Amino acid sequence: MNEIIVTREQREAKLEGMGCKRKRVEDIRFTQGKGNYVDDVKLPGMLHGDFVRSPYPHARIKSIDKDKALKVPGVLAVLTAEDLKGVNLAWMPTLAGDVQMVLADGKVLFQNQEVAFVVATDRYAADDGINAVEVEYEALPVLVDPFHSMDADAPILREDIKDKKDGAHGPRKHPNHIFEWTVGDKDLTDAAFAKAEVTIKELISYHRTHPSPLETCQCVCSFDKVKGELTIWGTFQAPHVIRTVVALIAKIPEHKIHVIAPDIGGGFGNKVGAYPGYICAAVASIVTGKPVKWVEDRIENLTSTSFARDYHMTTEIAATKEGKVTGLRVHVLADHGAFDACADPSKWPAGFFNIVTGSYDFPTAHLAVDGVYTNKAPGGVAYRCSFRVTEAAYCIERGMDILAQKLGMDPAELRLKNFIKAEQFPYHSALGWEYDSGDYHTAMRKMMETVDYAGLRREQAERRAAFKRGETREIMGLGVSFFTEIVGAGPSKNCDILGIAMFDSCEIRLHPTGAGIARMGTKSQGQGHETTWAQIIATELGIPADDIMVEEGNTDTAPYGLGTYGSRSTPVAGAAIAMAARKVKAKAQMIAAYLLEVHEDDLEWDIDGFRVKGLPERFKSMKDICWAAYNSPPPGLEPGLEAVSYYDPPNMTYPFGAYLCVMDIDVDTGVYKVRRFYALDDCGTRINPMIIEGQVHGGLTEAFAIAMGQEIRYDNDGNVVTGSFMDFFIPTAVETPHWETDFTVTPSPHHPIGAKGVGESPNVGGVPAFSNAVNDAFSFLGSTHIQMPHDFWRNWQAAKRLGAIA
Ligand code: PCD
Ligand SMILES: [Cu+]
């Protein structure tokens, strides 16, 4: 028995369990420069590989001459598609059911596409080798504008599949067409529009952007010829999936592949897919018998690995004069670039874009998405937006504002009028989702009260009058955004990647002294899993979070899991942790009953151990129980205390939030100032409020970047004009506004601890808040929709177009 008397509060505080602002344990190594990233992997005899890339966006390759390159000191090999054909690796499958060239096979389809892989003793020699490879190109007509991709005279990009009538998602209408995906009831929706009192229609585009994590994509591959084993250290958000993909395409038995994702410097979706660099480094290691490292530079990262968005959404809403929405019709033209390498669950060619009815009770809706090829980099990753949810949220949140403007109604009022009501959950949306829970009115009203929404509108009216009187050159905008996220992919009934159900896993093993380890199928890229996962276990098992080590990213030791993206870790793996902990706890209860010589049912859980009901002094702590599990297990019971859970979620979780942005724009310069930004998030049960706040700050900063300037832009000839940080907007502390955060708590009814994801929410809700603020500012000058990104130049142009500048 413990001699020191401690209060229940002290015992609970010692655990640092759920709800505690526990400091991030990983930061001890990160802040001291002791992180271990892929580039820190340095093996004896390690070689370096780098790519020859195409300056042309569309060209035939007439010849590749490697002779001069092979004479460069230090250069050991130059791989081309012809070499890869020998091992059947010139092309690789994509996550979206398409195939992608690993190295240019006969032609190139986007600028900076990988053409040859030079392997050398160091990075400098590799670079010299790249310059010495002679490639003869014959330029072909370039297709940049997706709206012309299906023209009769459009250049055919994918000659490999030009005669294929069917793609991975059904029939194709044109050689440059990838798929058409439709959801909802077309007839009912058309009928709603036919009898609508008010309708709006607008082309709302969400431009192409890029996750651009601090650390680029990279790997080290080391093939052991004697054992026939391949070890890959890489920046992988989903290490197990990478191992399975390598096993399938390289025909190496899966148990002889070791995938290790060490510390990762940000992922944001960029590190979900498989890239040519991984394949080439692996082949180069097999060929040379030496470890081979491949590290992207910034320009390569921005121009060739997965972009995000590039959705052109023709949006129509039908409503009554009073502002009740009666129908939603959306057509999306999705620009997928040269290959369909979208990272979405297999059955979802446009991700979860069918969440586009948002937070509103639409009686009927219809959605059609056409995916097309263009001469741009492939990809289409989430970038903090869980599978096209940010595109959907932007579409509906802009649409609702445009409708409010047409009706002469306040945008917040219009939303309140159409929200799904708290008593309607679980709610079946017109496009097929079952929203698990929500309380939108409460969140919206809390936002409106906190910021004094009515007061802000009054101020805006006064400022507009002053502008018209010529007393000020500043216009004021209020950007309202109310988003519903859908995270936690996902239930095996509808979510898989390459046929593998999207469950996730946790294995907990407690040691004799009462400490333990948790191994996970997820992989943190900065989210703080080592901190938060231990907090769940602390609360569930009464063991201090500090006594639990969380391990992720090594496929040899971790249970199979689908990885970290789409804010799925908390909804899926977070549930697996609780379930594994509960299995451990059930066994602990049997041991405690034996030690206390009572029946299991006579015990009750009390913070950090079991107590005999009615006899509070008869108590066994988890520490006592751990020791007994190895020292004196009950007769007939196996020693040890561990469990594993593979959790297949019954549904997604639906976080939501109410955001408001207050912005002032100087019409003469286009310069904007974000005066205030308020973000209320509801992610159900909160594990670590400090980490949540950090996640929200990060996501809002990215949303700010995207809405206000960040873009991957191509010129008419297919050249990337924003391929470096000289032109690609990354906000620093100077530009970034101050973030005010707030919350409500609506637990998920099906999640064992009630938690929903949060990492992506601020980006999903943030972008429409900024864009609506800009659009709201200009609306009184007669504008309905101004395209993102809203940089100074575009704001100035808008002001000029609207006659605000003489
Ligand atoms: N309720 C709750 C929720 C949550 N949480 C926390 O928070 C975090 C997050 O979570 P989530 O939401 O679940 O998510 P995850 O899965 O984990 O992650 C993912 C995400 O995450 C975010 N965030 C971040 N951060 C950092 N630092 N880094 C990074 O990279 C990143 N990324 C991004 C992204 S993009 Mo995608 O991939 O696009 O799809 S997706 C994503 C973690 O830690 C957790 O635990 C808490 O606490 N509570
Ligand atoms: Cu997305």
Side-chain angles (χ1 to χ4, degrees):
M1 279 285 289
N2 205 336
E3 298 303 333
I4 312 146
I5 298 160
V6 277
T7 63
R8 303 196 67 209
E9 286 71 28
Q10 285 169 320
R11 278 163 58 210
E12 203 157 78
K14 194 176 163 217
L15 298 180
E16 294 196 281
M18 282 194 276
C20 167
K21 293 186 181 174
R22 181 177 188 227
K23 285 204 177 138
R24 290 170 35 115
V25 294
E26 40 275 270
D27 289 352
I28 298 163
R29 64 175 189 279
F30 294 156
T31 53
Q32 297 187 24
K34 293 282 163 28
N36 178 42
Y37 297 90
V38 173
D39 201 40
D40 294 318
V41 177
K42 296 188 171 89
L43 303 175
M46 189 172 77
L47 304 175
H48 298 257
D50 209 349
F51 285 108
V52 174
R53 292 179 182 272
S54 168
Y56 291 90
H58 194 196
R60 214 167 289 293
I61 294 187
K62 305 195 71 175
S63 66
I64 303 177
D65 187 347
K66 6 175 163 171
D67 288 354
K68 286 197 186 117
L70 287 169
K71 291 192 186 103
V72 170
V75 172
L76 299 174
V78 178
L79 298 178
T80 62
E82 292 312 312
D83 303 309
L84 295 183
K85 277 181 186 164
V87 283
N88 220 349
L89 284 174
W91 292 69
M92 61 177 182
T94 70
L95 292 177
D98 197 357
V99 286
Q100 176 178 350
M101 291 176 200
V102 173
L103 289 171
D105 184 12
K107 72 187 286 195
V108 287
L109 289 159
F110 63 95
Q111 189 175 56
N112 275 2
Q113 186 178 333
E114 299 80 1
V115 174
F117 191 67
V118 176
V119 187
T121 45
D122 62 59
R123 188 100 196 233
Y124 305 98
D127 198 55
D128 292 341
I130 287 168
N131 292 324
V133 174
E134 290 174 342
V135 186
E136 202 186 329
Y137 298 94
E138 178 193 314
L140 293 168
V142 178
L143 175 59
V144 176
D145 183 352
F147 286 93
H148 288 299
S149 59
M150 292 198 276
D151 287 358
D153 59 351
I156 292 174
L157 307 192
R158 292 289 301 278
E159 286 159 29
D160 58 309
I161 51 167
K162 67 177 192 304
D163 299 321
K164 266 182 88 180
K165 293 275 169 283
D166 285 297
H169 308 285
R172 299 164 67 216
K173 302 182 233 181
H174 184 282
N176 294 331
H177 186 231
I178 309 173
F179 63 84
E180 181 189 25
W181 185 56
T182 58
V183 206
D185 192 321
K186 186 168 185 314
D187 295 342
L188 227 66
T189 308
D190 289 348
F193 275 88
K195 61 168 191 269
E197 291 168 351
V198 184
T199 60
I200 62 126
K201 181 173 184 177
E202 191 70 52
L203 170 62
I204 298 171
S205 282
Y206 198 140
H207 56 287
R208 179 177 276 242
T209 183
H210 193 282
S212 57
L214 192 57
E215 177 199 35
T216 59
C217 299
Q218 33 199 280
C219 71
V220 175
C221 295
S222 178
F223 186 70
D224 182 327
K225 277 207 166 101
V226 178
K227 294 189 192 155
E229 291 180 17
L230 178 65
T231 306
I232 308 176
W233 290 263
T235 46
F236 305 134
Q237 291 183 234
H240 277 105
V241 179
I242 293 286
R243 189 184 66 183
T244 303
V245 170
V246 174
L248 291 173
I249 67 179
K251 308 262 179 324
I252 300 173
E254 200 163 358
H255 66 293
K256 295 206 167 184
I257 304 167
H258 314 285
V259 174
I260 301 161
D263 285 329
I264 295 184
F268 306 107
N270 191 212
K271 294 164 180 172
V272 176
Y275 296 121
Y278 307 157
I279 311 271
C280 289
V283 172
S285 177
I286 294 170
V287 171
T288 60
K290 301 251 172 63
V292 176
K293 180 182 269 185
W294 168 69
V295 175
E296 265 180 347
D297 67 23
R298 181 59 58 190
I299 294 175
E300 293 179 297
N301 180 257
L302 282 172
T303 59
S304 71
T305 49
S306 270
F307 73 93
R309 329 291 196 241
D310 220 341
Y311 259 36
H312 306 278
M313 310 171 286
T314 305
T315 311
E316 293 172 86
I317 303 178
T320 65
K321 290 199 297 292
E322 290 75 38
K324 228 25 218 145
V325 296
T326 55
L328 175 71
R329 193 157 57 193
V330 180
H331 177 267
V332 181
L333 184 66
D335 186 342
H336 284 234
F339 307 95
D340 184 6
C342 268
D344 292 309
S346 309
K347 293 186 191 73
W348 302 92
F352 303 152
F353 188 85
N354 57 328
I355 193 81
V356 67
T357 50
S359 316
Y360 314 104
D361 191 8
F362 276 95
T364 176
H366 187 254
L367 163 69
V369 184
D370 278 299
V372 295
Y373 293 120
T374 57
N375 288 122
K376 297 176 194 164
V381 293
Y383 184 11
R384 216 162 190 155
C385 71
S386 53
F387 310 133
R388 307 288 187 184
V389 178
T390 191
E391 287 91 327
Y394 183 63
C395 175
I396 188 64
E397 287 308 287
R398 221 35 297 286
M400 290 303 271
D401 261 32
I402 294 169
L403 177 64
Q405 192 183 352
K406 182 144 189 188
L407 290 163
M409 260 179 96
D410 182 87
E413 287 307 319
L414 178 71
R415 285 174 172 80
L416 284 166
K417 190 165 207 154
N418 288 289
F419 278 152
I420 300 158
K421 297 186 188 70
E423 60 272 19
Q424 283 176 279
F425 292 94
Y427 170 83
H428 291 267
S429 80
L431 293 176
W433 292 112
E434 186 191 297
Y435 294 25
D436 68 343
S437 57
D439 185 352
Y440 301 165
H441 286 93
T442 303
M444 186 74 166
R445 293 212 171 96
K446 187 171 184 190
M447 179 275 272
M448 291 171 76
E449 271 157 41
T450 314
V451 302
D452 182 22
Y453 183 77
L456 286 167
R457 282 291 178 205
R458 277 194 302 277
E459 185 194 338
Q460 184 187 42
E462 284 157 22
R463 298 262 227 128
R464 283 177 171 176
F467 182 89
K468 288 196 167 150
R469 289 193 302 268
E471 292 163 17
T472 173
R473 298 296 289 158
E474 255 186 17
I475 54 177
M476 172 180 170
L478 294 185
V480 180
S481 154
F482 196 101
F483 67 95
T484 293
E485 251 271 66
I486 167 169
V487 295
S492 60
K493 60 176 183 266
N494 53 23
C495 289
D496 70 270
I497 282 190
L498 298 172
I500 303 166
M502 294 181 75
F503 60 86
D504 227 289
S505 60
C506 169
E507 182 194 283
I508 299 173
R509 180 178 307 162
L510 298 182
H511 309 318
T513 56
I517 180 168
R519 290 188 163 127
M520 309 290 307
T522 48
K523 175 64 205 163
S524 186
Q525 310 120 42
Q527 292 87 344
H529 292 174
E530 285 168 57
T531 306
T532 51
W533 296 161
Q535 289 182 260
I536 301 179
I537 298 173
T539 298
E540 290 284 338
L541 286 177
I543 291 174
D546 275 347
D547 294 344
I548 302 291
M549 180 155 96
V550 174
E551 198 184 271
E552 295 184 319
N554 185 336
T555 55
D556 282 347
T557 52
Y560 203 106
L562 277 284
T564 293
Y565 43 86
S567 263
R568 64 184 299 276
S569 305
T570 303
V572 191
I577 298 168
M579 299 314 271
R582 286 170 198 183
K583 289 185 191 174
V584 169
K585 195 169 172 179
K587 183 167 176 186
Q589 187 163 359
M590 297 198 227
I591 300 171
Y594 172 71
L595 296 174
L596 291 163
E597 297 176 323
V598 293
H599 190 271
E600 273 176 61
D601 294 345
D602 295 328
L603 293 176
E604 62 187 5
W605 178 251
D606 180 24
I607 300 174
D608 50 9
F610 287 99
R611 206 177 280 294
V612 178
K613 287 180 195 160
L615 291 170
E617 68 291 351
R618 303 209 7 99
F619 177 79
K620 286 287 169 200
S621 70
M622 274 304 284
K623 218 178 155 90
D624 304 330
I625 297 167
C626 285
W627 183 254
Y630 292 89
N631 166 271
S632 47
L637 199 68
E638 282 176 33
L641 202 47
E642 63 179 83
V644 53
S645 165
Y646 288 84
Y647 187 80
D648 181 8
N651 192 3
M652 310 273 185
T653 66
Y654 295 75
F656 57 92
Y659 291 4
L660 186 90
C661 172
V662 186
M663 196 185 287
D664 298 309
I665 304 172
D666 180 290
V667 289
D668 293 318
T669 57
V671 172
Y672 57 80
K673 279 196 270 336
V674 177
R675 200 200 301 174
R676 190 166 181 188
F677 198 102
Y678 169 92
L680 177 151
D681 273 278
D682 191 319
C683 56
T685 306
R686 291 150 51 89
I687 304 163
N688 183 326
M690 189 178 67
I691 287 206
I692 292 174
E693 201 182 351
Q695 288 290 307
V696 174
H697 282 195
L700 289 177
T701 306
E702 288 182 332
F704 167 66
I706 295 169
M708 305 313 289
Q710 189 175 89
E711 182 180 17
I712 294 288
R713 200 166 63 246
Y714 287 82
D715 68 13
N716 293 335
D717 300 320
N719 301 301
V720 191
V721 294
T722 53
S724 82
F725 283 172
M726 295 287 282
D727 326 271
F728 187 80
F729 177 43
I730 297 281
T732 66
V734 177
E735 294 91 5
T736 305
H738 171 74
W739 309 120
E740 279 170 67
T741 59
D742 203 347
F743 64 98
T744 53
V745 177
T746 311
S748 165
H750 60 78
H751 189 285
I753 59 170
K756 306 176 181 181
V758 77
E760 301 193 315
S761 297
N763 204 320
V764 173
V767 172
F770 286 109
S771 185
N772 280 348
V774 173
N775 277 287
D776 184 63
F778 282 107
S779 65
F780 79 115
L781 298 171
S783 141
T784 38
H785 178 66
I786 300 165
Q787 216 66 254
M788 281 196 292
H790 305 290
D791 52 27
F792 300 157
W793 181 72
R794 282 186 180 84
N795 288 343
W796 177 80
Q797 272 198 316
K800 211 166 159 61
R801 197 170 55 240
L802 296 165
I805 307 173

